[in-house]
Amino acid sequence: MTEQQRQWVISIHDVMPETLARCEELVGFLGDNGLHGPTLLVVPGLDWSQDQIERLRCLQQSGAILAGHGWKHRADAIRTPYHRLHSLLVSRDVAEHLSLDAHGIVDMIRRCHAFFEDNNLEVSDLYVPPAWALGPIPNGMLIDTPFRLYETLTGVLDARTQSFTRSPMIGFEADTAFRAVSVRCWNWLNLAIAGRRSPVRLSIHPNDLSLKLADNLKRLVNAGGTNLSYETFATAPN
């Protein structure tokens, strides 16, 4: 299978009032290369204006899919050694689930979902915790939350069936030389794992076209392929 035939599962992260214009540009960039219907991971607990809400609605009407992505995308506090290590190596200060207990996580997920309902926006079944850090919550507690699918670094959990779909993932958020080397190695490993058949989750952040791996992102997107929704990918029969 050539790069042109690769199947992607594409998400644009950190859709916020201050990043919305860049996210709109990314949707256009993908569409220009035949990759339509990306999933936009919306951070709801910020100062959204009515104009910005309408722009989300327009993106949705053009084929983009909206999904939940935490609440404010910033941890209130770092309370455990694991969270401190995660912050230093992976997430900086955005893994807000790690500062909560299980009940706090459920409450955040419900507030996230309610944002879409309150603003008459369609929301998909997908929720992605910031930095893919789901936090200290048993999978069984997610059955009673309003989302069905939960993405982590290694794949997607279907809370309804308690099944887990493993999938390689690549990203491009590298603003330092160290992160560029680390992410490049991560991408190489995951593309090797995917081989020629597995769909690959393509994770894009608002500034990626101006960061150190921008050329890699452009090369892969320019090669085209097809984009699967998370629902199609994670709920398809094996």
Side-chain angles (χ1 to χ4, degrees):
M1 181 180 291
T2 65
E3 290 289 359
Q4 286 84 348
Q5 298 171 305
R6 186 180 289 280
Q7 288 186 320
W8 303 107
V9 183
I10 302 176
S11 59
I12 298 176
H13 285 235
D14 306 351
V15 182
M16 309 175 183
E18 61 267 33
T19 66
L20 184 56
R22 278 166 281 157
C23 294
E24 290 168 327
E25 292 173 1
L26 285 168
V27 172
F29 165 62
L30 292 167
D32 289 344
N33 289 278
L35 295 171
H36 303 286
T39 296
L40 308 184
L41 306 187
V42 179
V43 182
L46 303 171
D47 189 18
W48 288 92
S49 69
Q50 285 304 306
D51 173 70
Q52 291 163 339
I53 295 294
E54 187 58 35
R55 286 161 65 185
L56 287 179
R57 187 171 290 109
C58 288
L59 286 167
Q60 191 167 59
Q61 290 170 349
S62 71
I65 298 169
L66 304 186
H69 192 43
W71 183 245
K72 290 189 174 180
H73 208 267
R74 186 170 298 275
D76 290 334
I78 296 178
R79 296 191 173 94
T80 66
Y82 172 75
H83 189 182
R84 187 169 301 281
L85 183 63
H86 195 281
S87 178
L88 287 171
L89 298 180
V90 180
S91 61
R92 295 177 176 168
D93 62 350
V94 306
E96 57 186 334
H97 276 224
L98 297 182
S99 65
L100 302 170
D101 62 14
H103 295 288
I105 293 169
V106 169
D107 178 67
M108 176 182 290
I109 292 170
R110 288 175 175 161
R111 280 184 287 135
C112 178
H113 194 275
F115 165 84
F116 297 93
E117 294 179 334
D118 293 344
N119 288 285
N120 296 312
L121 293 168
E122 295 181 16
V123 63
S124 72
D125 284 336
L126 177 70
Y127 179 90
V128 181
W132 297 281
L134 195 53
I137 181 170
N139 289 347
M141 285 187 69
L142 297 172
I143 295 174
D144 296 324
T145 61
F147 293 97
R148 175 179 178 177
L149 303 176
Y150 289 84
E151 184 180 38
T152 68
L153 274 175
T154 54
V156 179
L157 170 72
D158 186 331
R160 188 179 303 167
T161 64
Q162 292 293 290
S163 60
F164 190 82
T165 303
R166 293 190 176 275
S167 168
M169 178 176 64
I170 63 174
F172 305 90
E173 192 179 27
D175 58 353
T176 67
F178 173 76
R179 282 179 174 257
V181 171
S182 300
V183 174
R184 195 185 302 273
C185 291
W186 169 271
N187 290 349
W188 178 86
L189 176 62
N190 277 272
L191 286 172
I193 291 171
R196 297 296 184 182
R197 294 185 297 173
S198 299
V200 176
R201 290 176 292 147
L202 183 63
S203 166
I204 307 175
H205 287 77
N207 294 322
D208 282 355
L209 286 175
S210 61
L211 296 179
K212 295 182 179 294
L213 297 182
D215 287 346
N216 297 58
L217 172 58
K218 291 174 183 176
R219 177 179 59 80
L220 288 173
V221 170
N222 290 339
T226 58
N227 177 40
L228 302 178
S229 71
Y230 276 84
E231 284 82 356
T232 298
F233 162 68
T235 63
N238 295 325

